[in-house]
Structures are given as C-alpha cells and as structure tokens.
Amino acid sequence: MGSGKSKEPASAGGRKGEVDFTRFKARVDRVHISGLSRTHDDYIQRAIRSLFTAANFQDVIVETTNVKDNLMQLGIFKNLKIHIDTSKGEGATKNGYEVTFQGDELSRITGSIGTELGQNDGAATAELTSPNIFGRGERLSLNYSYSYVRSSVLNLRFTKPYYHTTVGDYSPETSIAVFKHSSPAPWSKFRTDETGVLLDFSFALPFGLSNSLQYEVGMKEIFALDKQTPFFVRENCGPKLAAIIRYIGVFEGRDSNVFPTNGIFVKTTNELMGSSLSQFGTVKSDVHCEINMPLFAGISLQLCGRFGMLLNDKRKETIPINQLFFPGGPQTLRGFEIAGACPYRDGVAAGCQSYWASGIHVWSPLPFSRYFGGFGDLFRTHLFYNFGTCNTFTTDKLRSTAGAGLAFRIGQKARIEFNYCQPLSFEAGDRVKKGFQFGIGYEFI
C-alpha cells in the first residue's frame, strides 16, 4: 500500500506526530477488481466512480473505504481486500495511484440457520439463497421461520436491484414474493393463515428516508383456537380474498438503533385494504415517532409515541378482527399484559379501531460502566412513564404506568427489558400487570 512520510510538523490543528495526507496531491488512474466471473461490469461501475473524484491522498483513503462498503452492499462478494499502489506503466500520471480490490464472489447457493427476534417473540430460521443469478445482483431466496408462539413464515422471494442504472443512487429494488404465514392471537383465541403474492418496490431518498410501495393479494383465513373461542370471534372465521396497497416510510436519524442518545426516528405504515382486486373500503394507518436528546454524563431523554387508526366504509363490510389494534404489553403500554389495554368481550380482547400511546424515558449507563469495558455498553437503565388509550384521541379513559428497568442490547437491532411497573390509571376489564415485566423486541414506546 502506498504511503507518504514527512519530517515536517503536522499542519495547524493537527496533533504532533500525525501526517496530514491532504497535503499530498493524488488521483486514481485505474481501479482493478479481481475475483469476478459472472458479474457484469456495468453493475459495479457506479459503485466505484467516486474514487475518480479524489484530489489528495486523504481522499483516496476515504473513498476507497466507501467504495469497499458499496461493493459489499451489492450482494455479490464474500469478502474484499484492498491494495493501493502508485500508478505505473502506460497512462500513468504524476501523483497517480492504482486501487485494487481482491474479492471472492458468493457461491451460487448459500444457506444459513439461526434465530431472529420479533416483538416479544423469538424464532428459529432457515434460509437458502441463490445470489447474483444473472450477474446484476438478482437473488432468489427461500426462507422459513417458526417461533415459540407457534407462528410460522414461509417466503419464496425473487429480488432485482437497479443500482447500476441512472437512478442507482436511490437504491431502487423490486421484488416478488410468494408467501404463507400463520400467526396465532391467543389474547383473542384465533389464528390467521395467509397465502398470497407480494409485489414490492423500494427506494431511498436523501436525508435517511427509505420508502417501500407494496401490493399484496391473497387468501386470509381466520380459525378459532379452541372450543372456548367466543361467538363474536367465530363470526370472523373462514377464508376471504384480500387485496392491500401498502406504503412504508422510514426516516432514520438516530445515532443508534437500540440505545440512541440523539436523533429522530419516524416510521409510518399506511394500508388501503379491500375484499377484492378492485374494491377497497378500509384505510389503516400506524405511525411511530421517537425523539432523543442528550443531557449530561451519558444520560439522555427520550420522547416516543405511536398511534393507529382504522377507517372503513361500513356499507361494504365490517373490519375483520385480525385487522384491529390490540394495545398493551411491554412494547406499547408497560404495566399491561399483551393486548391488555383494549376493550374485552366474553373474556377475550375485542380490539379497537384506534389507539395512541406515548412514553417518556430517562436513559442512563450503568454506574461505573467504564470499568466493565465494552461489556458495560450492552446495558442501560431507565425511568419511564407510559400513557395512552384506545378508541379516542383524547385523554378520556387514560391508561398510564410509571416504573424503572434494566435493558440489555442484543446485536444492533433488538433489546431485552426487565422492568418494574406500577400502573397508575386503567379501566375496568383491563389486564393489568403490576410488578416485574419482561419484554423483548426492536420497537418500544
């Protein structure tokens, strides 16, 4: 790897002993990528173009690292090594460099077995993938998961990226999936089986905004879980043809997904649902917002909220129970059981057509966490106050809980919470859970 040496002191603002690479003029004459056999050249050209904008050696180092990340995101390499050397031979320029990426393409078939976390759920997963089928990042994947609450997911998906096109900077990607899902709702004693086709077009916009437009069509069937399932739930049972037009938008501006101390996060899911391919009579919207602000000594303040709303044309049909909201639980309103903060009927959760929930948290590192090294960074303590209600956007029939707890980070997406909850206000019939409560997931209020 090419390098520069200097006996001169560092530039103004630099520390003694550091070399200011911005003083060394440099440009990239050539880029070599080895290890490609079935990938087309045009699929990687956009990923490396920023290297040719380098004006000094510092730029060369920074852009080389960025290009390596871009190439790995294309989904065609196992690994990549970088080699930077001075430019030689015909076409070499003064201050010119050559950058070489040495990599190995992924095998034609890859597989994995593991676990994944959901909202208060964990699942065993198995996946087979055929990457880069036609040489421009296309992939075919078969995924199956089964969770401890007996929900299952089977997906066969074909994905086609368009990173090599003129709109490649927006990360456009299309996919088509055939799926079969089964998910129980024990709080209401029913199970939903879904079989259908999902078309998806996703793209990114500047400032961290990602978007997904989806069209889903298939059969949805509701089953009674046992003989104790109430009649009003059984009225929803049976197969129905369903079509959904869905938009998912996510703005990610936080400094961490799990324990953020600064930044804003917004996620919105909007669905237009119908009983046939052309008749749509129900609108469903769900929005989650989060604001994080640093205070002092590693302590941060978090304000978060979520609301959901269902609107339908009652002249066409009633809303199936599996489309309703069921607030309550460690991810929405702590101090309540799952689906414990909504109306109950005949001993089971009847759901609601609207709800809102908010949370105020003060997060802090563990005392003396600096003495535990990196292990201490996996933990946070918090004081919290949750409040919200359902079937109204006022403060009528307000549910609220205060408490304190310990959270443990799992990877970069999920966490486990052990909280002591003290419900402060609730309605008759609510399923309150005073005392310690366990929660696991990736989106909390």
Side-chain angles (χ1 to χ4, degrees):
M1 175 175 177
S3 62
K5 298 181 179 179
S6 174
K7 296 181 180 180
E8 300 178 12
S11 61
R15 292 181 297 180
K16 185 177 180 181
E18 288 187 347
V19 178
D20 182 10
F21 288 116
T22 61
R23 296 182 301 159
F24 300 100
K25 292 184 178 180
R27 57 163 298 184
V28 176
D29 289 341
R30 298 183 183 86
V31 176
H32 304 280
I33 301 179
S34 64
L36 297 177
S37 60
R38 63 182 187 275
T39 303
H40 295 282
D41 291 342
D42 61 349
Y43 188 61
I44 61 174
Q45 286 173 353
R46 177 173 288 270
I48 65 175
R49 62 179 181 171
S50 62
L51 268 173
F52 297 103
T53 64
N56 55 64
F57 195 69
Q58 180 70 25
D59 290 344
V60 173
I61 296 174
V62 171
E63 293 301 333
T64 298
T65 303
N66 292 337
V67 167
K68 179 184 177 182
D69 292 339
N70 292 339
L71 289 172
M72 292 301 294
Q73 290 175 4
L74 295 179
I76 59 177
F77 289 105
K78 287 182 187 176
N79 51 63
L80 277 176
K81 296 180 180 179
I82 302 172
H83 181 74
I84 302 176
D85 202 353
T86 54
S87 183
K88 301 174 183 178
E90 185 179 352
T93 63
K94 183 181 179 181
N95 304 319
Y97 287 86
E98 296 183 1
V99 180
T100 302
F101 296 92
Q102 298 175 333
D104 298 313
E105 283 185 321
L106 290 168
S107 304
R108 289 193 176 274
I109 296 179
T110 63
S112 63
I113 297 176
T115 58
E116 64 180 18
L117 297 178
Q119 293 291 76
N120 235 44
D121 191 11
T125 65
E127 183 175 35
L128 283 176
T129 304
S130 180
N132 202 22
I133 298 176
F134 304 120
R136 290 189 175 92
E138 304 88 353
R139 60 187 181 276
L140 181 68
S141 61
L142 177 65
N143 175 276
Y144 177 76
S145 68
Y146 189 82
S147 76
Y148 83 95
V149 296
R150 298 185 179 180
S151 65
S152 63
V153 176
L154 179 63
N155 286 328
L156 177 63
R157 182 186 301 271
F158 175 79
T159 305
K160 168 64 179 175
Y162 297 91
Y163 305 142
H164 58 291
T165 65
T166 56
V167 293
D169 292 340
Y170 301 101
S171 302
E173 190 173 272
T174 59
S175 68
I176 179 171
V178 180
F179 63 85
K180 182 176 178 59
H181 301 167
S182 179
S183 54
W187 47 85
S188 296
K189 295 188 178 295
F190 71 86
R191 185 185 84 245
T192 303
D193 287 359
E194 304 176 54
T195 304
V197 178
L198 176 67
L199 305 176
D200 179 273
F201 172 63
S202 61
F203 59 96
L205 292 176
F207 311 110
L209 181 62
S210 60
N211 307 268
S212 178
L213 297 172
Q214 300 178 351
Y215 178 73
E216 177 184 321
V217 61
M219 297 297 298
K220 297 180 184 294
E221 187 168 6
I222 298 176
F223 296 88
L225 275 186
D226 54 43
K227 295 180 179 180
Q228 284 72 43
T229 302
F231 179 74
F232 83 92
V233 176
R234 294 177 181 271
E235 288 181 320
N236 295 265
C237 293
K240 291 184 179 180
L241 178 65
I244 302 174
I245 298 174
R246 181 184 297 114
Y247 167 76
I248 302 173
V250 178
F251 173 78
E252 179 59 86
R254 300 173 296 181
D255 56 1
S256 170
N257 291 339
V258 184
F259 292 140
T261 59
N262 192 20
I264 297 174
F265 173 78
V266 179
K267 179 180 179 181
T268 177
T269 302
N270 300 282
E271 298 179 339
L272 182 61
M273 300 180 289
S275 58
S276 67
L277 301 180
S278 59
Q279 293 182 350
F280 295 92
T282 304
V283 177
K284 184 177 184 179
S285 181
D286 202 343
V287 180
H288 178 94
C289 303
E290 183 181 304
I291 301 175
N292 301 277
M293 296 170 285
L295 298 178
F296 56 88
I299 299 174
S300 62
L301 174 67
Q302 183 182 74
L303 307 175
C304 48
R306 185 183 301 166
F307 79 87
M309 181 174 58
L310 269 165
L311 299 174
N312 76 312
D313 185 350
K314 296 182 179 180
R315 295 172 300 176
K316 293 185 177 180
E317 61 176 8
T318 58
I319 300 175
I321 191 171
N322 62 334
Q323 298 293 347
L324 298 176
F325 299 108
F326 295 89
Q331 286 82 27
T332 54
L333 287 172
R334 296 169 181 83
F336 293 82
E337 295 180 1
I338 296 177
C342 66
Y344 269 66
R345 181 179 170 187
D346 297 337
V348 301
C352 55
Q353 291 191 212
S354 66
Y355 80 100
W356 65 271
S358 300
I360 303 173
H361 301 257
V362 177
W363 288 94
S364 173
L366 286 177
F368 311 108
S369 61
R370 63 182 181 275
Y371 298 110
F372 297 99
F375 184 72
D377 296 334
L378 299 177
F379 294 88
R380 288 290 190 278
T381 60
H382 71 139
L383 301 174
F384 64 86
Y385 176 62
N386 278 143
F387 56 102
T389 189
C390 62
N391 285 329
T392 177
F393 288 105
T394 68
T395 57
D396 294 339
K397 299 182 180 180
L398 188 70
R399 282 90 164 171
S400 62
T401 303
L406 176 69
F408 173 72
R409 175 168 61 85
I410 303 176
Q412 300 300 322
K413 293 184 178 181
R415 71 175 185 250
I416 297 175
E417 288 188 1
F418 298 93
N419 298 314
Y420 182 83
C421 306
Q422 177 60 55
L424 301 177
S425 59
F426 48 88
E427 292 296 306
D430 288 350
R431 301 305 195 258
V432 178
K433 190 174 180 63
K434 179 181 177 180
F436 287 100
Q437 188 175 39
F438 168 85
I440 184 171
Y442 52 87
E443 280 185 6
F444 290 82
I445 297 178

